[in-house]
PDB file of all heavy atoms in Angstrom:
ATOM      1  N   GLY A 377       9.507  47.105  20.233  1.00 79.00           N
ATOM      2  CA  GLY A 377      10.066  48.432  20.465  1.00 79.00           C
ATOM      3  C   GLY A 377      11.096  48.407  21.576  1.00 79.00           C
ATOM      4  O   GLY A 377      12.161  49.037  21.467  1.00 79.00           O
ATOM      5  N   MET A 378      10.787  47.676  22.652  1.00 81.00           N
ATOM      6  CA  MET A 378      11.731  47.572  23.753  1.00 81.00           C
ATOM      7  C   MET A 378      12.990  46.822  23.320  1.00 81.00           C
ATOM      8  O   MET A 378      14.117  47.233  23.631  1.00 81.00           O
ATOM      9  CB  MET A 378      11.096  46.867  24.950  1.00 81.00           C
ATOM     10  CG  MET A 378      11.993  46.845  26.182  1.00 81.00           C
ATOM     11  SD  MET A 378      11.272  46.020  27.603  1.00 81.00           S
ATOM     12  CE  MET A 378      11.553  44.308  27.152  1.00 81.00           C
ATOM     13  N   MET A 379      12.823  45.740  22.572  1.00 83.00           N
ATOM     14  CA  MET A 379      13.976  44.973  22.127  1.00 83.00           C
ATOM     15  C   MET A 379      14.875  45.795  21.209  1.00 83.00           C
ATOM     16  O   MET A 379      16.098  45.691  21.269  1.00 83.00           O
ATOM     17  CB  MET A 379      13.511  43.701  21.420  1.00 83.00           C
ATOM     18  CG  MET A 379      12.855  42.686  22.332  1.00 83.00           C
ATOM     19  SD  MET A 379      13.892  42.239  23.743  1.00 83.00           S
ATOM     20  CE  MET A 379      15.309  41.534  22.915  1.00 83.00           C
ATOM     21  N   GLN A 380      14.283  46.640  20.379  1.00 83.00           N
ATOM     22  CA  GLN A 380      15.094  47.489  19.502  1.00 83.00           C
ATOM     23  C   GLN A 380      15.910  48.484  20.319  1.00 83.00           C
ATOM     24  O   GLN A 380      17.083  48.750  20.010  1.00 83.00           O
ATOM     25  CB  GLN A 380      14.204  48.233  18.500  1.00 83.00           C
ATOM     26  CG  GLN A 380      14.977  49.098  17.512  1.00 83.00           C
ATOM     27  CD  GLN A 380      16.011  48.298  16.732  1.00 83.00           C
ATOM     28  OE1 GLN A 380      15.735  47.198  16.275  1.00 83.00           O
ATOM     29  NE2 GLN A 380      17.202  48.850  16.595  1.00 83.00           N
ATOM     30  N   LYS A 381      15.321  49.026  21.381  1.00 82.00           N
ATOM     31  CA  LYS A 381      16.056  49.956  22.234  1.00 82.00           C
ATOM     32  C   LYS A 381      17.197  49.249  22.959  1.00 82.00           C
ATOM     33  O   LYS A 381      18.281  49.812  23.131  1.00 82.00           O
ATOM     34  CB  LYS A 381      15.094  50.605  23.237  1.00 82.00           C
ATOM     35  CG  LYS A 381      14.151  51.612  22.610  1.00 82.00           C
ATOM     36  CD  LYS A 381      13.284  52.281  23.663  1.00 82.00           C
ATOM     37  CE  LYS A 381      12.370  53.327  23.030  1.00 82.00           C
ATOM     38  NZ  LYS A 381      11.525  54.016  24.041  1.00 82.00           N
ATOM     39  N   ILE A 382      16.946  48.003  23.384  1.00 83.00           N
ATOM     40  CA  ILE A 382      18.009  47.235  24.031  1.00 83.00           C
ATOM     41  C   ILE A 382      19.136  46.966  23.043  1.00 83.00           C
ATOM     42  O   ILE A 382      20.319  47.122  23.354  1.00 83.00           O
ATOM     43  CB  ILE A 382      17.449  45.910  24.588  1.00 83.00           C
ATOM     44  CG1 ILE A 382      16.517  46.191  25.778  1.00 83.00           C
ATOM     45  CG2 ILE A 382      18.578  44.985  25.014  1.00 83.00           C
ATOM     46  CD1 ILE A 382      15.820  44.962  26.323  1.00 83.00           C
ATOM     47  N   ARG A 383      18.793  46.584  21.832  1.00 83.00           N
ATOM     48  CA  ARG A 383      19.817  46.325  20.816  1.00 83.00           C
ATOM     49  C   ARG A 383      20.651  47.571  20.539  1.00 83.00           C
ATOM     50  O   ARG A 383      21.861  47.491  20.329  1.00 83.00           O
ATOM     51  CB  ARG A 383      19.167  45.843  19.520  1.00 83.00           C
ATOM     52  CG  ARG A 383      18.601  44.428  19.599  1.00 83.00           C
ATOM     53  CD  ARG A 383      18.177  43.928  18.235  1.00 83.00           C
ATOM     54  NE  ARG A 383      17.638  42.578  18.316  1.00 83.00           N
ATOM     55  CZ  ARG A 383      16.356  42.280  18.436  1.00 83.00           C
ATOM     56  NH1 ARG A 383      15.451  43.259  18.482  1.00 83.00           N
ATOM     57  NH2 ARG A 383      15.947  41.026  18.507  1.00 83.00           N
ATOM     58  N   SER A 384      19.998  48.725  20.568  1.00 81.00           N
ATOM     59  CA  SER A 384      20.726  49.959  20.262  1.00 81.00           C
ATOM     60  C   SER A 384      21.804  50.244  21.297  1.00 81.00           C
ATOM     61  O   SER A 384      22.838  50.843  20.985  1.00 81.00           O
ATOM     62  CB  SER A 384      19.757  51.145  20.176  1.00 81.00           C
ATOM     63  OG  SER A 384      19.261  51.512  21.454  1.00 81.00           O
ATOM     64  N   ILE A 385      21.573  49.813  22.540  1.00 82.00           N
ATOM     65  CA  ILE A 385      22.581  50.004  23.588  1.00 82.00           C
ATOM     66  C   ILE A 385      23.868  49.286  23.207  1.00 82.00           C
ATOM     67  O   ILE A 385      24.972  49.829  23.301  1.00 82.00           O
ATOM     68  CB  ILE A 385      22.058  49.486  24.941  1.00 82.00           C
ATOM     69  CG1 ILE A 385      20.861  50.315  25.416  1.00 82.00           C
ATOM     70  CG2 ILE A 385      23.168  49.516  25.986  1.00 82.00           C
ATOM     71  CD1 ILE A 385      20.168  49.728  26.632  1.00 82.00           C
ATOM     72  N   TYR A 386      23.732  48.045  22.750  1.00 78.00           N
ATOM     73  CA  TYR A 386      24.901  47.221  22.463  1.00 78.00           C
ATOM     74  C   TYR A 386      25.440  47.441  21.052  1.00 78.00           C
ATOM     75  O   TYR A 386      26.617  47.225  20.797  1.00 78.00           O
ATOM     76  CB  TYR A 386      24.564  45.750  22.722  1.00 78.00           C
ATOM     77  CG  TYR A 386      24.296  45.525  24.195  1.00 78.00           C
ATOM     78  CD1 TYR A 386      22.997  45.489  24.688  1.00 78.00           C
ATOM     79  CD2 TYR A 386      25.345  45.415  25.095  1.00 78.00           C
ATOM     80  CE1 TYR A 386      22.751  45.323  26.041  1.00 78.00           C
ATOM     81  CE2 TYR A 386      25.118  45.250  26.452  1.00 78.00           C
ATOM     82  CZ  TYR A 386      23.815  45.206  26.926  1.00 78.00           C
ATOM     83  OH  TYR A 386      23.581  45.061  28.269  1.00 78.00           O
ATOM     84  N   GLN A 387      24.603  47.912  20.147  1.00 74.00           N
ATOM     85  CA  GLN A 387      25.101  48.314  18.838  1.00 74.00           C
ATOM     86  C   GLN A 387      26.024  49.507  18.981  1.00 74.00           C
ATOM     87  O   GLN A 387      27.041  49.614  18.307  1.00 74.00           O
ATOM     88  CB  GLN A 387      23.931  48.639  17.903  1.00 74.00           C
ATOM     89  CG  GLN A 387      23.192  47.403  17.422  1.00 74.00           C
ATOM     90  CD  GLN A 387      21.878  47.735  16.759  1.00 74.00           C
ATOM     91  OE1 GLN A 387      21.391  48.858  16.839  1.00 74.00           O
ATOM     92  NE2 GLN A 387      21.280  46.746  16.124  1.00 74.00           N
ATOM     93  N   GLN A 388      25.681  50.414  19.864  1.00 52.00           N
ATOM     94  CA  GLN A 388      26.536  51.571  20.145  1.00 52.00           C
ATOM     95  C   GLN A 388      27.902  51.094  20.608  1.00 52.00           C
ATOM     96  O   GLN A 388      28.933  51.610  20.206  1.00 52.00           O
ATOM     97  CB  GLN A 388      25.888  52.435  21.231  1.00 52.00           C
ATOM     98  CG  GLN A 388      26.653  53.698  21.591  1.00 52.00           C
ATOM     99  CD  GLN A 388      26.365  54.826  20.624  1.00 52.00           C
ATOM    100  OE1 GLN A 388      25.688  54.633  19.620  1.00 52.00           O
ATOM    101  NE2 GLN A 388      26.887  55.990  20.911  1.00 52.00           N
ATOM    102  N   ARG A 389      27.906  50.058  21.424  1.00 49.00           N
ATOM    103  CA  ARG A 389      29.165  49.510  21.920  1.00 49.00           C
ATOM    104  C   ARG A 389      30.003  48.948  20.775  1.00 49.00           C
ATOM    105  O   ARG A 389      31.193  49.169  20.679  1.00 49.00           O
ATOM    106  CB  ARG A 389      28.863  48.411  22.936  1.00 49.00           C
ATOM    107  CG  ARG A 389      30.113  47.851  23.625  1.00 49.00           C
ATOM    108  CD  ARG A 389      29.731  46.654  24.472  1.00 49.00           C
ATOM    109  NE  ARG A 389      30.831  46.287  25.349  1.00 49.00           N
ATOM    110  CZ  ARG A 389      30.989  45.086  25.859  1.00 49.00           C
ATOM    111  NH1 ARG A 389      30.141  44.124  25.579  1.00 49.00           N
ATOM    112  NH2 ARG A 389      31.997  44.820  26.666  1.00 49.00           N
ATOM    113  N   ALA A 390      29.336  48.204  19.877  1.00 45.00           N
ATOM    114  CA  ALA A 390      30.059  47.569  18.776  1.00 45.00           C
ATOM    115  C   ALA A 390      30.699  48.602  17.855  1.00 45.00           C
ATOM    116  O   ALA A 390      31.786  48.407  17.331  1.00 45.00           O
ATOM    117  CB  ALA A 390      29.112  46.671  17.987  1.00 45.00           C
ATOM    118  N   VAL A 391      30.027  49.727  17.658  1.00 43.00           N
ATOM    119  CA  VAL A 391      30.541  50.770  16.766  1.00 43.00           C
ATOM    120  C   VAL A 391      31.788  51.416  17.336  1.00 43.00           C
ATOM    121  O   VAL A 391      32.732  51.733  16.616  1.00 43.00           O
ATOM    122  CB  VAL A 391      29.446  51.837  16.523  1.00 43.00           C
ATOM    123  CG1 VAL A 391      30.050  53.079  15.885  1.00 43.00           C
ATOM    124  CG2 VAL A 391      28.346  51.265  15.651  1.00 43.00           C
ATOM    125  N   HIS A 392      31.830  51.569  18.666  1.00 42.00           N
ATOM    126  CA  HIS A 392      32.908  52.344  19.266  1.00 42.00           C
ATOM    127  C   HIS A 392      34.100  51.514  19.711  1.00 42.00           C
ATOM    128  O   HIS A 392      35.121  52.073  20.100  1.00 42.00           O
ATOM    129  CB  HIS A 392      32.367  53.133  20.464  1.00 42.00           C
ATOM    130  CG  HIS A 392      31.586  54.340  20.058  1.00 42.00           C
ATOM    131  ND1 HIS A 392      30.248  54.292  19.774  1.00 42.00           N
ATOM    132  CD2 HIS A 392      31.977  55.620  19.850  1.00 42.00           C
ATOM    133  CE1 HIS A 392      29.815  55.508  19.431  1.00 42.00           C
ATOM    134  NE2 HIS A 392      30.839  56.317  19.462  1.00 42.00           N
ATOM    135  N   SER A 393      34.019  50.183  19.686  1.00 39.00           N
ATOM    136  CA  SER A 393      35.164  49.394  20.114  1.00 39.00           C
ATOM    137  C   SER A 393      35.204  48.072  19.380  1.00 39.00           C
ATOM    138  O   SER A 393      34.326  47.246  19.535  1.00 39.00           O
ATOM    139  CB  SER A 393      35.104  49.135  21.629  1.00 39.00           C
ATOM    140  OG  SER A 393      36.168  48.295  22.020  1.00 39.00           O
ATOM    141  N   ASP A 394      36.285  47.882  18.585  1.00 35.00           N
ATOM    142  CA  ASP A 394      36.394  46.621  17.871  1.00 35.00           C
ATOM    143  C   ASP A 394      36.945  45.515  18.756  1.00 35.00           C
ATOM    144  O   ASP A 394      37.091  44.385  18.327  1.00 35.00           O
ATOM    145  CB  ASP A 394      37.270  46.788  16.626  1.00 35.00           C
ATOM    146  CG  ASP A 394      38.664  47.296  16.957  1.00 35.00           C
ATOM    147  OD1 ASP A 394      38.999  47.397  18.158  1.00 35.00           O
ATOM    148  OD2 ASP A 394      39.417  47.596  16.013  1.00 35.00           O
TER     149      ASP A 394
END
Side-chain angles (χ1 to χ4, degrees):
M378 185 180 79
M379 291 306 299
Q380 182 56 44
K381 288 183 178 181
I382 291 175
R383 289 189 180 94
S384 72
I385 295 171
Y386 294 98
Q387 286 167 348
Q388 182 82 354
R389 186 187 192 203
V391 166
H392 283 87
S393 176
D394 58 7

